[in-house]
Amino acid sequence: MPEQTKKCPMCAEEIPVNAKVCPYCDTRLVSEPPLPTAPSHVPPRTVPSTGKPKRTGLVIGLSITAGLAVLCILAGIIWVVFQGGIAGLLPVATSTPTRTKTPHLTATATADPRISNQANNHKYLFVQIGSTWHQAQDYCMERGGHLVTIQDAEEDQFIFQLTGGNTWLGASDEAQEGTWVWVTREPWNYQNWDTGEPNNYQIENYLTYQGPASQDDEPAGDWNDDAGEKNFVCEWDE
């Protein structure tokens, strides 16, 4: 490769391109000025404004939120499609719904616990709750009846057989000692006192049966005046 040369500016002789002194005329050669270089600090390029507002942090945040929402929707659609594909591969069981008949509600009548006396068409209820005479009368009246009243020997026997004795009857002499009155104020037409009764022993103002017969060797079914608590019979004049 031939050596690159240049002409000396003084003698016009060909000399090496890198020579600093001409070998022919001893002329000192001046090096060529260096090529201009770009300044170290380049001012930023100014982009002309288009008149549109700059994006703010809120706009960027909304854009990110909207992007996430779209991704969630797409993921949901893919999941539904995937599940539908699996479901389509499985057998589907079909069943015919059965109609359940609604039972018809019917009113059931409660059996009347009262006992009917065919002789007078009255009804009686033997209540086995130890009560004072006044408590027993209140119980009967609250239910539309009254403590039982005795009008003849047949009714007397009917009530005694129902109770077995030692039961409150619906009469007292508390208003006036010795004057016995039925709670219904009906006439005092029948009585069945035991011998020596009523004797008002320790203030006894209420009518009861003696009995049962084994108690103190007294005859069962006869009447006695007494106090305390006993079972009782309610009566309805129906």
Side-chain angles (χ1 to χ4, degrees):
M1 182 176 178
E3 185 181 0
Q4 294 182 355
T5 61
K6 63 180 179 178
K7 288 184 179 183
C8 175
M10 294 300 293
C11 64
E13 292 292 335
E14 295 289 334
I15 63 175
V17 69
N18 295 326
K20 296 181 179 180
V21 178
C22 178
Y24 298 102
C25 63
D26 294 328
T27 301
R28 186 175 183 83
L29 301 175
V30 181
S31 60
E32 296 179 357
L35 297 175
T37 58
S40 60
H41 175 71
V42 179
R45 184 181 178 185
T46 303
V47 179
S49 175
T50 59
K52 297 181 180 180
K54 296 182 179 179
R55 289 186 175 181
T56 62
L58 176 61
V59 174
I60 295 173
L62 291 176
S63 299
I64 295 174
T65 303
L68 292 175
V70 171
L71 289 176
C72 291
I73 293 173
L74 291 175
I77 294 173
I78 294 171
W79 175 255
V80 171
V81 173
F82 178 75
Q83 291 295 322
I86 294 178
L89 298 176
L90 299 176
V92 179
T94 59
S95 60
T96 303
T98 57
R99 296 182 62 184
T100 303
K101 294 183 178 180
T102 302
H104 295 286
L105 299 178
T106 56
T108 56
T110 303
D112 191 345
R114 299 176 298 177
I115 305 299
S116 296
N117 184 354
Q118 299 299 324
N120 58 9
N121 293 322
H122 291 188
K123 291 185 177 181
Y124 305 87
L125 178 65
F126 179 37
V127 181
Q128 301 185 59
I129 301 174
S131 307
T132 66
W133 186 89
H134 283 286
Q135 288 173 341
Q137 170 64 352
D138 291 342
Y139 180 96
C140 296
M141 292 183 65
E142 288 172 359
R143 289 154 180 77
H146 55 81
L147 270 176
V148 62
T149 59
I150 308 296
Q151 292 301 303
D152 52 44
E154 185 178 5
E155 185 178 17
D156 189 32
Q157 186 63 23
F158 179 88
I159 299 303
F160 179 74
Q161 290 179 353
L162 178 65
T163 63
N166 198 27
T167 307
W168 288 130
L169 305 177
S172 76
D173 70 342
E174 63 180 349
Q176 183 176 349
E177 179 60 33
T179 303
W180 288 85
V181 179
W182 295 112
V183 292
T184 56
R185 297 294 188 256
E186 55 193 294
W188 188 268
N189 294 330
Y190 174 80
Q191 58 186 18
N192 187 25
W193 293 109
D194 185 17
T195 303
E197 300 295 346
N199 59 11
N200 196 34
Y201 178 72
Q202 295 182 347
I203 309 178
E204 298 172 324
N205 294 324
Y206 310 107
L207 181 62
T208 183
Y209 277 128
Q210 293 281 19
S214 60
Q215 189 178 42
D216 299 330
D217 294 328
E218 294 178 344
D222 290 348
W223 294 358
N224 179 32
D225 57 342
D226 207 347
E229 296 183 350
K230 302 180 186 297
N231 298 334
F232 55 94
V233 177
C234 295
E235 179 181 2
W236 288 263
D237 301 336
E238 299 179 358

